[in-house]
Amino acid sequence: MDQLTLSCPNCAQPVSESDRFCEQCGRDLTAAVNPPSGAAPGGPAGHGYSGAAPAAGRASGADGAAEQGQAYRAEEPVGASGHGGGPESGAPGGVPPMPPGPPAVGVDPRAGLGRGVAEASAAPQAPAHVPGATGDFLLAAPSQLLVSEDDLDPEPDHAPTEPNPVVVIAPGSGPVCVGCGAQRIDADGYCEACGRAQPRPRDHQERALAGVTGVSDRGHRHHRNEDAFAVAATSRPGGSPAVVAVVCDGVSSATRPDEASQAAADTASEYLLEALESGADPKPAMHAAIMAAAQRVEDLANEGPLEPSRNSPACTIVSAIAAGGEVTVGWVGDSRAYWFPDDRVGSERLTVDDSWAARMVEAGLMEEAEAYADARAHAITGWLGADAVEVEPHTTVFAPPSAGVVLICTDGLWNYWESAADLGAVVPADARTRPLEAAQELVRFACERGGHDNITVAVLPCLPSPLSTSYTPTELSLPVMGAGEKREI
Amino acid sequence: MARLAKSNLPQFAVDIFQNEYLAEGAREVNAIVTVTATGGGTSGSVGSQPVNYADGPDAAVVIMVDCSGSMDYPSDKIRAAREATAAAIDAVRDGVAFAVVAGTHEAKEVYPGGGQLAVAHAGSREEAKQSLRRLTPSGGTAIGTWLSKAEQLFHSRRDISIRHGILLTDGRNEHENPNDLQRTLDRVQGHFTADCRGVGTDWEVQELRRISSALLGTVDIVADPAALADDFRAMMENAMGKEVADVALRVWTPANAAVKFVKQVAPTVEDLSGRRKESGPRAGDYPTGSWGDESRDYHVCIEVPSAAVGSEMLAGRISLVVPQPDGSTEVLSQGLVKAVWTDDIAASTKISPQVAHYTGQADLANAIQEGMEAHRRGDLDSATSKLGKAVQLAHESGNEDTFRLLAKVVDVVNPKEGTVRFRKNVSEADSMTLETRSTKTVRVKKTP
């Protein structure tokens, strides 16, 4: 049920357990399963790849920063104790030793404390590469793969400059620059030869759980991924399942937008899980979760360095809960939720943006096409952050009339297919049965269209609601049009 | 943060100010590096704290006093020089090694003599002051010989890391070929630092600046000999505040990148680009001399290979390094200069306020120097336009001291527009003061 996905440590391309080479860059993936020489295999490493949650447990997939390398590493043979071990199972003898600090993927420090929880890597603070920590390593690439890496770069920045005299690199001997192939990456994550920033865990992330899937990508034109998401599955007090997805888009013109989006996604997801497990009604829970996320982002303003010329950390949020045959959607800003029935007849957008364009249309001042063509179209009028005038979460409850998917996403996706019909046409037909592949495809399509922004998509497959005998119109709680502030995403 | 074995050493902090966002195709990365040394134990008044001499002197000072014949015309110059040297000797901390050199067309040791440095205590300070009667004017001026003598004296105590000279002259370096002086500077630079002072108005600003720049010290004019004692005392107190010597700014750049320049921009403008010493793959060290509790700003400009929009690279790693007795270097602190290519025009066109400010301050210094040079050539139009620009820059940036000095040389008609008229009967002292202090900068005004 809890299916963690794997990514190539070199280029972050999703790979499956059975793949021997990365489809995108050709990296030899089997090297990962070979423990570094001299290490004794078979210890209870506690990487817990399977991360198997107890049947009634919770599986959460906050897209913590620790994923790329660790998700892949998790494939290493881990001996008898393959899953969900507590920290104590990451005992010496594990290969490689666990870095101290935050747990690796699939390891919940609380596991075994009676809650039956296997939460995967909800640890955004976990650095991907703890300097000096032997547990962190990326795979070395054979020399010919470096060439293909360059070929793969759509716009090669600069020719590989300093030929690395060492072509054959022992596995586990250290990371290799994705730009020039030099085998010297400094503790700050830059190549010591060509200075290029190395791929970061957040550049591309995927999480797939039963009932909910999320994929996020940096795109082509932004230097970092300022989107964040969390997906999680749990059960209601009666035992019925509930899934949660949260997608946030950091406001680029504000300071530390990546931290804001991550904090909001984690906070909202955690809040929703607690609320659903305690039997709270989803709609008020959604409202409260967004308010909790807003508070968390507001607090961020006081927790980091101040940049006088920039605004406080800020982000948008859109979240969906699927539980008891109903989907509850909540949002602030211009990240969206859509409903796509299997036959795509009756596709619709479930959210109304907090944006200049949406307000113009809503107030009847402009036609939609005209409003969205305006330079101010994407200025948002609502966001989470210390400088938000007043956070007013919108919530709506929707009973799926047929089988289909609820999709939530950032504008990095919907910018290319603005209407529900257009977007519905590119959502793969089998999105409900293959949600991970659908999310991956959509991200890829957006990248092919230019990848001008970060792209994040979460997909929640839905069956016809027993509560929905007929079509239920969505109810939207919209704020009164006012002279709110505007800013660019 | 690095810590040195000795106590009372300052802690260094490096802060980088830059706009890392570059437009597509852009290659130039500018950053202001603020280096702040704190906790060196010199925050209070000098000499107020007990010093432990068990390890021997930690600093050495040589005072070089011009005793050329011109110092007797008027004779209050040599009197003032004696008084000033006495005041400086009084400010030498107990335990510091020191010597006094009389400079003419040759260098004579006045105190203690014998190619040695004395160790300061009440008795030696008194002896030294008595010996100043031997500072009698006669002969010419060959500053290179003075510097060579100072070098010899410092060399007698190679265990002392902080070595500082104070040099006073009243005239041009007339009895020495400029090339000889340059050769001497090339030889002694890096061995000690020196502050230079010109008394009266018969010396040459550019010549003395060349010496103080090479020796990583300050240069200033003391037009009125009566002010010399206070100035010497202040200079010596400043020298006594130095805690760590031979600090260098190390600039690492990635492959295919080039350092366009490295300038100190505060407290004064000083181009260090030519002083680079290679210190490893793609890294070079720029000397900064000795540090007490103080803060200095540097402008680093790096040209990097252009990269695609969405790329990020490290354009430079700026660290403060200090040599260790075993020949290695210790990194005291460091900061990163980044380059991020974006198609967001609002982001890439923003100029870092610090970079803009110090670019203006460097332009201000240039405008003054070029203006004064044009004035010497008799090109009044060019001089007026340069100084007009200087007035404008000084006004905009709030550099009030420089503005006041400018206003003694030109009548400011409109500071915003930079409209000025040359004053009639500008005193030599005023124009030399302006030129000497042209490199003094002010820091960025705090943004509210």
Side-chain angles (χ1 to χ4, degrees):
Chain A
M1 53 173 288
D2 179 9
Q3 180 198 0
L4 295 183
T5 58
L6 306 176
S7 306
C8 171
N10 184 46
C11 69
Q13 164 79 8
V15 296
S16 87
E17 266 182 274
S18 57
D19 285 352
R20 295 186 56 211
F21 295 93
C22 172
E23 282 181 31
Q24 185 146 339
C25 72
R27 169 67 63 88
D28 181 359
L29 302 170
T30 57
V33 300
N34 300 322
S37 59
H47 284 302
Y49 161 68
S50 63
R58 173 204 288 188
S60 150
D63 56 337
E67 272 176 46
Q68 296 308 341
Q70 295 190 346
Y72 188 71
R73 259 190 12 227
E75 207 188 1
E76 291 160 20
V78 290
S81 169
H83 63 85
E88 69 280 3
S89 71
V95 181
M98 287 284 289
V105 171
V107 180
D108 190 324
R110 291 170 295 174
L113 298 181
R115 201 175 173 194
V117 169
E119 181 173 320
S121 175
Q125 73 278 22
H129 303 289
V130 181
T134 49
D136 284 298
F137 64 90
L138 288 175
L139 300 175
S143 55
Q144 73 273 16
L145 297 184
L146 299 173
V147 176
S148 58
E149 166 65 19
D150 286 332
D151 293 341
L152 150 123
D153 192 344
E155 294 174 75
D157 315 341
H158 39 271
T161 44
E162 292 200 324
N164 184 359
V166 184
V167 238
V168 180
I169 301 154
S173 59
V176 173
C177 176
V178 298
C180 71
Q183 197 195 339
R184 297 188 299 267
I185 307 300
D186 63 36
D188 311 298
Y190 297 94
C191 174
E192 282 186 22
C194 73
R196 178 160 162 164
Q198 300 301 300
R200 292 165 188 151
R202 273 182 76 173
D203 285 357
H204 183 93
Q205 302 203 306
E206 304 187 357
R207 306 294 295 178
L209 305 172
V212 61
T213 286
V215 175
S216 181
D217 195 274
R218 182 169 68 99
H220 291 323
R221 308 286 278 183
H222 282 210
H223 73 290
R224 67 178 168 198
N225 192 352
E226 294 165 358
D227 285 358
F229 72 98
V231 294
T234 187
S235 52
R236 304 278 280 159
S240 65
V243 298
V244 167
V246 186
V247 165
C248 297
D249 181 351
V251 176
S252 290
S253 57
T255 190
R256 292 179 279 135
D258 50 335
E259 289 179 33
S261 59
Q262 187 75 65
D266 291 344
T267 304
S269 165
E270 189 59 30
Y271 189 98
L272 288 175
L273 287 177
E274 300 279 351
L276 291 169
E277 284 165 11
S278 67
D281 185 34
K283 191 175 170 182
M286 178 64 81
H287 189 278
I290 293 177
M291 293 310 286
Q295 186 58 51
R296 181 73 197 90
V297 177
E298 187 174 334
D299 293 345
L300 268 187
N302 302 319
E303 292 171 13
L306 291 170
E307 290 181 88
S309 59
R310 309 185 80 182
N311 296 321
S312 313
C315 67
T316 71
I317 189 167
V318 61
S319 174
I321 302 166
E326 282 187 325
V327 176
T328 305
V329 176
W331 75 97
V332 173
D334 69 348
S335 296
R336 292 182 172 179
Y338 292 87
W339 161 245
F340 298 117
D342 282 354
D343 58 7
R344 303 288 184 271
V345 175
S347 296
E348 68 170 319
R349 171 141 65 92
L350 304 174
T351 54
V352 175
D353 301 341
D354 287 323
S355 74
W356 183 89
R359 287 195 169 194
M360 285 296 125
V361 174
E362 187 197 19
L365 296 171
M366 275 182 167
E367 290 299 313
E368 194 159 2
E370 186 191 358
Y372 279 94
D374 195 281
R376 294 163 289 184
H378 288 262
I380 57 172
T381 53
W383 61 86
L384 311 184
D387 54 357
V389 179
E390 188 182 359
V391 176
E392 295 177 273
H394 318 291
T395 52
T396 178
V397 179
F398 169 75
S402 60
V405 295
V406 166
L407 182 149
I408 65 175
C409 63
T410 57
D411 61 345
L413 179 74
W414 67 252
N415 268 335
Y416 299 112
W417 300 278
E418 208 278 310
S419 74
D422 290 347
L423 184 54
V426 295
V427 173
D430 60 356
R432 184 170 58 83
T433 52
R434 291 161 56 84
L436 173 61
E437 287 79 359
Q440 289 169 342
E441 286 271 276
L442 287 167
V443 166
R444 192 163 59 77
F445 291 161
C447 283
E448 282 168 4
R449 291 287 295 266
H452 290 89
D453 200 349
N454 308 139
I455 307 135
T456 303
V457 181
V459 178
L460 295 85
C462 298
L463 291 172
S465 170
L467 306 172
S468 166
T469 46
S470 63
Y471 177 70
T472 316
T474 59
E475 45 163 311
L476 301 173
S477 55
L478 294 168
V480 180
M481 178 81 181
E485 291 175 40
K486 297 189 289 266
R487 30 179 178 173
E488 297 293 335
I489 272 276
Chain B
M1 173 71 84
R3 279 179 191 281
L4 297 171
K6 286 168 86 176
S7 60
N8 267 354
L9 281 179
Q11 299 287 300
F12 284 81
V14 171
D15 290 303
I16 307 276
F17 299 93
Q18 68 162 146
N19 173 20
E20 67 262 41
Y21 293 100
L22 300 179
E24 190 158 16
R27 303 184 55 194
E28 191 178 289
V29 183
N30 284 284
I32 298 299
V33 180
T34 295
V35 180
T36 308
T38 49
T42 55
S43 310
S45 60
V46 170
S48 63
Q49 61 172 73
V51 183
N52 180 6
Y53 311 117
D55 300 335
D58 55 357
V61 196
V62 173
I63 307 169
M64 293 159 267
V65 185
D66 190 342
C67 289
S68 61
S70 59
M71 285 293 282
D72 225 0
Y73 302 95
S75 66
D76 60 345
K77 269 200 290 196
I78 193 69
R79 268 203 308 280
R82 278 194 211 110
E83 280 165 26
T85 307
I89 290 169
D90 278 333
V92 174
R93 217 172 42 212
D94 275 359
V96 168
F98 76 104
V100 181
V101 170
T104 57
H105 53 282
E106 56 186 3
K108 278 193 203 117
E109 291 171 55
V110 173
Y111 185 84
Q116 301 291 313
L117 295 165
V119 174
H121 51 79
S124 61
R125 275 194 292 263
E126 198 51 44
E127 268 175 41
K129 285 191 278 183
Q130 293 299 326
S131 70
L132 297 182
R133 273 177 297 189
R134 278 180 277 155
L135 293 177
T136 45
S138 74
T141 307
I143 295 175
T145 64
W146 316 354
L147 299 172
S148 293
K149 176 61 76 183
E151 152 99 333
Q152 264 174 33
L153 292 169
F154 286 125
H155 199 72
S156 72
R157 288 300 302 271
R158 299 169 77 168
D159 56 314
I160 301 173
S161 63
I162 296 171
R163 299 172 299 271
H164 186 73
I166 288 177
L167 188 153
L168 175 74
T169 185
D170 81 326
R172 295 183 184 83
N173 195 41
E174 278 168 338
H175 300 90
E176 185 175 40
N177 184 319
N179 295 334
D180 289 344
L181 174 60
Q182 190 56 52
R183 264 193 295 279
T184 305
L185 285 175
D186 291 344
R187 183 163 48 79
V188 305
Q189 76 176 15
H191 298 185
F192 63 95
T193 55
D195 291 323
C196 300
R197 293 295 181 267
V199 62
T201 56
D202 295 328
W203 54 282
E204 211 175 300
V205 177
Q206 283 152 334
E207 190 171 77
L208 211 52
R209 188 191 302 288
R210 198 166 84 217
I211 297 168
S212 68
S213 286
L215 301 178
L216 301 168
T218 61
V219 60
D220 204 359
I221 181 173
V222 185
D224 179 4
L228 210 49
D230 282 343
D231 186 65
F232 263 49
R233 189 179 301 111
M235 241 191 312
M236 185 60 81
E237 284 172 356
N238 185 49
M240 292 298 102
K242 301 297 182 184
E243 300 279 348
V244 52
D246 301 323
V247 177
L249 195 70
R250 177 166 293 175
V251 179
W252 172 94
T253 46
N256 293 351
V259 176
K260 287 184 85 171
F261 60 78
V262 174
K263 276 182 201 163
Q264 178 186 290
V265 288
T268 57
V269 180
E270 191 73 66
D271 195 335
L272 301 176
S273 307
R275 311 289 297 275
R276 178 183 173 108
K277 282 204 183 77
E278 297 304 318
S279 61
R282 296 173 296 280
D285 285 357
Y286 299 83
T288 68
S290 310
W291 288 70
D293 279 3
E294 60 190 296
S295 177
R296 305 183 202 169
D297 291 348
Y298 299 88
H299 183 169
V300 177
C301 179
I302 300 168
E303 193 166 83
V304 293
S306 180
V309 166
S311 304
E312 176 181 344
M313 77 184 292
L314 188 63
R317 180 188 297 280
I318 315 292
S319 43
L320 261 282
V321 297
V322 66
Q324 296 297 291
D326 64 2
S328 65
T329 52
E330 177 169 354
V331 176
L332 300 172
S333 186
Q334 68 157 341
L336 305 181
V337 177
K338 296 173 190 173
V340 173
W341 282 268
T342 178
D343 50 8
D344 178 351
I345 294 171
S348 62
T349 53
K350 211 179 272 173
I351 297 174
S352 149
Q354 285 80 6
V355 170
H357 173 80
Y358 283 124
T359 304
Q361 294 291 292
D363 287 349
L364 169 60
N366 268 339
I368 293 172
Q369 286 165 23
E370 287 168 13
M372 297 311 285
E373 176 61 36
H375 189 239
R376 268 194 294 277
R377 283 198 316 268
D379 181 352
L380 206 62
D381 285 352
S382 172
T384 308
S385 123
K386 292 285 182 195
L387 292 188
K389 187 181 176 220
V391 163
Q392 196 180 10
L393 287 165
H395 176 74
E396 273 172 15
S397 64
N399 192 335
E400 286 167 20
D401 287 346
T402 302
F403 188 88
R404 262 196 295 276
L405 296 176
L406 278 162
K408 287 183 179 171
V409 175
V410 292
D411 279 320
V412 178
V413 180
N414 182 340
K416 261 191 180 153
E417 304 284 323
T419 326
V420 300
R421 236 179 273 118
F422 251 93
R423 278 175 183 262
K424 286 177 191 131
N425 312 321
V426 176
S427 80
E428 189 67 15
D430 283 340
S431 57
M432 280 179 76
T433 304
L434 172 62
E435 193 172 359
T436 312
R437 297 184 184 164
S438 60
T439 55
K440 273 189 82 75
T441 58
V442 291
R443 295 214 119 121
V444 186
K445 275 182 274 186
K446 289 269 181 292
T447 41

